[in-house]
Amino acid sequence: MKTLQQISLMLNGRLSGNPEVCIQGVNSLELAGVEEIAFLAKRDVDPAAFRAAALIVARDNPIDYPNLIYVDEPYLAFAQLLEDFYPATPFCAGVDDRARVSADARLGKNVRLGAFVYVGAGAVIGDDTEIHSGSVVYPGATIGRSCLIYAHVVIREGVVVGDHCIIHAGAVIGSDGFGFSRDSAGIPRKIPQKGRVTIADHCEIGANTCIDRSTLGETRLEEHVKLDNLVQVGHNCRIGSGTTISALTGISGSVDVGRNVVMGGQVGIADHLRIADGVMIAGKTGVSGHIKKRCVISGSPHMEARDWRRMHALLRNLDDYYARIRELEKRIAELEEK
Amino acid sequence: MKTLQQISLMLNGRLSGNPEVCIQGVNSLELAGVEEIAFLAKRDVDPAAFRAAALIVARDNPIDYPNLIYVDEPYLAFAQLLEDFYPATPFCAGVDDRARVSADARLGKNVRLGAFVYVGAGAVIGDDTEIHSGSVVYPGATIGRSCLIYAHVVIREGVVVGDHCIIHAGAVIGSDGFGFSRDSAGIPRKIPQKGRVTIADHCEIGANTCIDRSTLGETRLEEHVKLDNLVQVGHNCRIGSGTTISALTGISGSVDVGRNVVMGGQVGIADHLRIADGVMIAGKTGVSGHIKKRCVISGSPHMEARDWRRMHALLRNLDDYYARIRELEKRIAELEEK
Amino acid sequence: MKTLQQISLMLNGRLSGNPEVCIQGVNSLELAGVEEIAFLAKRDVDPAAFRAAALIVARDNPIDYPNLIYVDEPYLAFAQLLEDFYPATPFCAGVDDRARVSADARLGKNVRLGAFVYVGAGAVIGDDTEIHSGSVVYPGATIGRSCLIYAHVVIREGVVVGDHCIIHAGAVIGSDGFGFSRDSAGIPRKIPQKGRVTIADHCEIGANTCIDRSTLGETRLEEHVKLDNLVQVGHNCRIGSGTTISALTGISGSVDVGRNVVMGGQVGIADHLRIADGVMIAGKTGVSGHIKKRCVISGSPHMEARDWRRMHALLRNLDDYYARIRELEKRIAELEEK
């Protein structure tokens, strides 16, 4: 519980209304009750529909409401409030006696390991990092400071994870790249995958997502990359900083993705392609060539989203046009007979 | 081993033939041997091709065969026989001494926990529920009665699972929703996900499937929802009762799926959409708008399946019609010259 | 470190150049430094761009370079060198005292089990097989000789894995097939899945990939099948020898895939289909009918890849042709008025 005054101070906001009002919780605009605070993203809404005790709004939002906190970025202020009102409780305090840490692994200060966590020889785990039950850190892997590793994560040998990363349950970092070469008898033979995965600071990796180690060198995620659940990142890829990738997307080997790219779900990218900074890729897009400049793409094979929409609008008339061709043929035949 | 008489009684069927025949096993129609029983779904088949000792058929099936058991729902009777002839053996008896149950977790009667299972503080597990090796029940999660949780399942904090649910290996229930907001510098910042997942009774969740917790409130699966492997359910979704979803399908955030919807594999549904009761969605469909009434849809962008089939049939003639347009242009030019 | 002489002998190659040159490592052509060896796949390249101490090339490659090792299959020789220069270190020596092996499981010679591995009653594990932390081998499963099972793999009851198989982290082998039948009230009822999965020798299964057990009989992978990460193989499928399947591909139930088939990522195959030997299926293809002979297919619905490319090329002209139809209508109307 906090007063509006306290909340406004915390958010570095400007308060309009009663500073003594007590806030019990944070909620969405539609669901917020009379003791809760919500945030308002839009303008031109009718405040009569809301019951929230107070609203967080952008500094220039002209809404009229009893209690308002004006901030620069309302959604991020809301995020801050969520964390403040509903803090995550540590999964464990210290190293559980049923975790197994190899003798020559190095744990930083305040590392917390759940039961049945395994940390291999030579692995390094930075200060304040928490690893939940059943996760496996292979020999020689390195995890930075203040990371949150959920249950059943697998971090293979030689993988490097930066600071402030979150890795969700079941993710596999550093699995072998999918590399085979058929011998003279046509049998696929494994190309050993001896590289590593490097994940920079502030990345978040979704549940059951897989990032393959490179054949040689590294597969690399730069800072602030956010991967959703069940994403596949192939070997030798580089994903530029600030890029977000939605669920079930598959990125083939040796793809170079720029900065601040946004991919929807179930996108597929063929191997060895380059995607420019800031490209937006709609869900289900199949990318089969380089994307050399910032644009929005869609479809499979991919094209600019507006072309794709136009093409699909045209397709709806195909039947009509075929009929018109047949009609033209009839009319021209009549003319020719004359 | 059972006699036909015993089987007929168990299935609440009507027996035609020799009640003393001994049945050693259950098999598919094609593979069933002379001491096995099979079920027959179709009519108008030639029984001479089968070797089964007996067949389970619908009450009005006119087939002529030495031994028949007539029932209302042959496939379900077959399912019942499979379970009866090949019962699952319990994975473990009681709580394995290498499971770790937090002191204030509450276990019902006859709860069975495999080795290396972790049950967090305040978690509740109902009577007769079995949880296999390595699964992790986070603090404050609740699992109902008579559930079967396979190995390596992760059930995050605050998740509620109903009675008689089956969760397959590697599934992650309650991972964070994929919510980010870019700050003024364009960096994606995490929106904390503080809601939960609620799964009603009789649901089944496939292997390595992920269901994200909501930002606030709940992500909800209603009764008898069946999810295949590697499915992604985004935050704040509701999946209506009796809906079945095949593998590798991705449902974005805040989607509302009706009752008894049937989705094929690799379907994608964009966020904030509503899918009406009973809709059938073919594999690989990309749903980009509300589906307001019961229908069958296909394609990406989606359309009614018959329109999609017709469109693709028309597309095969595109080359021909282009040629006809060029021919028309030639003929009309000739006419104009006259 | 090895001399070129030693490397040439090991690869059964023919050396041209200085046999005394010392090689410190193996690298890609672009990155190899002056003490490293690389392999050259192409012809007609300018060797001046490379710094590698030596190159592995095909016996008939006419390249001029100071040190060359001629071999029959350069890429496979490269693979062999990778393994030789960067050998995998065993994850564990013997059976970790925090593994749990049921009393009546049978372990071969030199089996290595990581911490928190569970091996159920009646399971059999062959000589020289290594299983990493947290993997679960259910009762009655059988694993062959010289297998490498990474962390958190789940091998369900009755599954049979051959010799020399590699299973990557988080894979689930033998999960229940997705079988339901709606009862008279429309509620989906589970069809028990009582069959098994059989995996022949030399298969490799990707991270978080799922292979479902059959209803009855078996789901079968033949020799040298290679599955990438996050692949779904449905119940009762057969995958022919030497077939490779890329990430996020979903194969429905009862599909029969031939030998040496190559599938890209995110392919979907509808149930009960047969795919002939040697078929190549492009990424994102949706296969909706039998593929009866060796060919390359693409698109959804699938068609021969050249038809698919041609169709998409034609589609780009749709707008133009519509305009030409409208123009034709105008011209013909003018002619008719005369």
Side-chain angles (χ1 to χ4, degrees), chain C residues 70 82 94 163 213 236 300:
Chain C
Y70 295 100
L82 281 172
D163 300 337
R213 67 195 312 108
N236 302 73
S300 181

Side-chain angles (χ1 to χ4, degrees), chain B residues 22-45:
Chain B
C22 278
I23 299 296
Q24 307 288 343
V26 186
N27 216 332
S28 64
L29 196 54
E30 294 74 25
L31 298 177
V34 295
E35 297 188 314
E36 292 179 313
I37 190 166
F39 91 102
L40 176 62
K42 298 177 186 167
R43 286 138 190 284
D44 300 325
V45 290

Side-chain angles (χ1 to χ4, degrees), chain B residues 217-237:
Chain B
E218 69 181 11
T219 302
R220 183 171 177 79
L221 268 60
E222 298 188 343
E223 288 191 355
H224 296 289
V225 167
K226 312 293 184 184
L227 305 184
D228 198 354
N229 302 337
L230 297 165
V231 168
Q232 156 72 3
V233 177
H235 53 175
N236 302 72
C237 285

Side-chain angles (χ1 to χ4, degrees), chain A residues 224-286:
Chain A
H224 296 290
V225 167
K226 312 293 184 183
L227 305 185
D228 199 354
N229 302 337
L230 296 165
V231 168
Q232 157 72 2
V233 178
H235 53 174
N236 302 72
C237 285
R238 185 192 68 98
I239 312 288
S241 64
T243 286
T244 62
I245 300 180
S246 293
L248 293 160
T249 285
I251 302 184
S252 305
S254 303
V255 172
D256 187 291
V257 177
R259 297 160 62 100
N260 295 319
V261 170
V262 176
M263 297 190 203
Q266 295 175 327
V267 168
I269 303 186
D271 56 333
H272 288 88
L273 297 182
R274 287 190 308 280
I275 311 294
D277 292 351
V279 170
M280 301 189 71
I281 306 181
K284 281 199 175 290
T285 298

Side-chain angles (χ1 to χ4, degrees), chain B residues 73 86 132 152 284 319 326, chain C residues 134 138 184 194 266 321:
Chain B
E73 299 177 309
Y86 313 111
H132 296 181
H152 289 315
K284 281 199 173 290
D319 219 355
R326 289 190 298 270
Chain C
Y138 271 66
S184 55
K194 297 298 182 177
Q266 294 174 329
Y321 278 93

Side-chain angles (χ1 to χ4, degrees), chain B residues 26-28 31 73 75-76 78-80 82-84 86-92 96-98 114-116 132-134 149-152 166 168-170 202 204 206-209 223-230 241-248 259-263 265-266 283-284 299 308 312 315-316 318-326 328-338, chain C residues 96-100 115-118 133-139 151-154 156-157 170-172 175-194 207-212 215-217 230-233 248-251 266-269 284-287 300-303 310-311 314-319 321-322 324-325 328-329 331-332 334-335 338:
Chain B
V26 186
N27 216 332
S28 64
L31 298 177
E73 299 177 309
Y75 199 22
L76 294 176
F78 176 71
Q80 191 181 341
L82 280 173
E83 204 55 60
D84 186 76
Y86 313 111
T89 46
F91 186 84
C92 44
D96 192 290
D97 62 358
R98 297 206 187 177
F116 318 124
H132 296 181
S133 277
I149 315 278
Y150 285 93
H152 289 315
I166 299 172
H168 288 283
H202 299 288
E204 185 163 344
N208 285 341
T209 277
E223 288 191 355
H224 296 289
V225 167
K226 312 293 184 184
L227 305 184
D228 198 354
N229 302 337
L230 297 165
S241 64
T243 285
T244 63
I245 300 180
S246 295
L248 293 159
R259 297 160 61 99
N260 294 321
V261 171
V262 176
M263 297 191 202
Q266 295 175 327
K284 281 199 173 290
W308 182 80
H312 277 280
L315 279 172
R316 287 176 206 280
L318 207 51
D319 219 355
D320 171 49
Y321 277 93
Y322 281 2
R324 286 158 75 172
I325 290 170
R326 289 190 298 270
L328 281 168
E329 288 171 333
K330 211 184 300 174
R331 286 161 66 185
I332 216 166
E334 284 169 14
L335 284 176
E336 286 169 339
E337 275 177 24
K338 284 181 189 170
Chain C
D96 193 289
D97 62 358
R98 296 207 187 178
R100 186 175 196 97
F116 317 125
V117 166
Y118 177 81
S133 277
S135 282
V136 176
V137 180
Y138 271 66
H152 289 316
V153 168
V154 174
R156 286 270 307 271
E157 68 276 13
V172 178
S175 36
D176 284 8
F178 194 61
F180 298 91
S181 177
R182 290 188 187 261
D183 66 15
S184 55
I187 295 172
R189 301 293 182 183
K190 182 177 181 69
I191 306 300
Q193 305 291 312
K194 297 298 182 177
N208 285 341
T209 278
C210 302
I211 304 176
D212 280 351
T215 313
L216 289 160
L230 296 165
V231 168
Q232 157 71 3
V233 177
L248 293 160
T249 285
I251 301 184
Q266 294 174 329
V267 168
I269 303 186
K284 281 198 174 292
T285 298
V287 184
S300 181
H302 74 274
M303 56 190 81
R310 172 147 184 80
M311 188 182 88
L314 291 172
L315 279 172
R316 287 176 207 281
N317 301 324
L318 207 51
D319 218 355
Y321 278 93
Y322 281 4
R324 286 157 75 173
I325 291 169
L328 281 168
E329 288 171 334
R331 285 161 67 186
I332 214 165
E334 284 170 15
L335 284 177
K338 283 183 190 170

Side-chain angles (χ1 to χ4, degrees), chain A:
Chain A
M1 199 209 69
K2 282 201 157 72
T3 66
L4 269 188
Q5 175 85 57
Q6 291 170 313
I7 291 173
S8 183
L9 272 171
M10 185 177 72
L11 300 179
N12 198 18
R14 187 170 64 78
L15 172 61
S16 153
N18 179 359
E20 305 303 319
V21 167
C22 280
I23 300 297
Q24 306 289 343
V26 186
N27 216 332
S28 64
L29 197 54
E30 295 74 24
L31 298 176
V34 296
E35 297 188 314
E36 291 180 312
I37 191 167
F39 91 103
L40 176 61
K42 298 177 187 168
R43 287 135 191 287
D44 301 322
V45 291
D46 177 12
F50 311 137
R51 304 194 310 146
L55 299 180
I56 303 168
V57 296
R59 292 195 190 270
D60 58 351
N61 192 319
I63 190 172
D64 184 31
Y65 202 75
N67 297 305
L68 290 165
I69 297 178
Y70 295 100
V71 299
D72 288 331
E73 298 176 309
Y75 199 21
L76 293 177
F78 176 71
Q80 189 180 342
L81 272 192
L82 279 173
E83 204 54 63
D84 186 76
F85 269 82
Y86 313 110
T89 46
F91 186 84
C92 44
V95 176
D96 192 289
D97 62 0
R98 297 207 186 178
R100 184 173 198 99
V101 180
S102 298
D104 57 351
R106 295 210 324 265
L107 304 191
K109 279 177 287 186
N110 191 30
V111 165
R112 301 178 298 281
L113 304 181
F116 317 123
V117 166
Y118 178 82
V119 180
V124 178
I125 298 176
D127 298 348
D128 301 309
T129 283
E130 178 170 303
I131 303 182
H132 295 181
S133 277
S135 282
V136 176
V137 180
Y138 272 66
T142 300
I143 299 173
R145 289 181 299 106
S146 300
C147 289
L148 175 53
I149 315 277
Y150 284 94
H152 288 316
V153 169
V154 174
I155 308 218
R156 286 271 306 272
E157 66 276 14
V159 167
V160 177
V161 176
D163 300 337
H164 304 286
C165 288
I166 300 173
I167 305 183
H168 288 282
V172 177
I173 317 295
S175 37
D176 283 8
F178 194 60
F180 299 91
S181 177
R182 292 190 186 259
D183 66 16
S184 55
I187 294 172
R189 301 293 181 184
K190 182 177 180 70
I191 306 300
Q193 305 291 311
K194 297 298 182 178
R196 64 184 179 282
V197 173
T198 304
I199 296 178
D201 300 345
H202 300 288
C203 287
E204 185 163 344
I205 312 295
N208 284 341
T209 278
C210 302
I211 304 176
D212 280 350
R213 67 195 312 110
S214 56
T215 312
L216 289 161
E218 68 181 14
T219 303
R220 184 171 176 80
L221 268 60
E222 299 189 341
E223 289 192 352
H224 296 290
V225 167
K226 312 293 184 183
L227 305 185
D228 199 354
N229 302 337
L230 296 165
V231 168
Q232 157 72 2
V233 178
H235 53 174
N236 302 72
C237 285
R238 185 192 68 98
I239 312 288
S241 64
T243 286
T244 62
I245 300 180
S246 293
L248 293 160
T249 285
I251 302 184
S252 305
S254 303
V255 172
D256 187 291
V257 177
R259 297 160 62 100
N260 295 319
V261 170
V262 176
M263 297 190 203
Q266 295 175 327
V267 168
I269 303 186
D271 56 333
H272 288 88
L273 297 182
R274 287 190 308 280
I275 311 294
D277 292 351
V279 170
M280 301 189 71
I281 306 181
K284 281 199 175 290
T285 298
V287 184
S288 51
H290 301 306
I291 310 295
K292 294 179 177 168
K293 60 178 211 336
R294 184 182 299 253
C295 60
V296 183
I297 61 172
S298 194
S300 181
H302 74 272
M303 56 189 82
E304 288 216 28
R306 63 170 164 258
D307 295 337
W308 181 80
R309 278 193 300 271
R310 174 149 182 78
M311 188 184 86
H312 277 281
L314 291 172
L315 279 173
R316 287 176 207 281
N317 301 323
L318 207 51
D319 218 355
D320 172 49
Y321 278 93
Y322 281 2
R324 285 158 75 173
I325 290 170
R326 289 190 298 272
E327 173 68 18
L328 280 168
E329 288 171 334
K330 210 184 300 173
R331 285 161 67 186
I332 215 166
E334 285 170 14
L335 284 177
E336 285 168 337
E337 276 177 22
K338 282 183 191 171

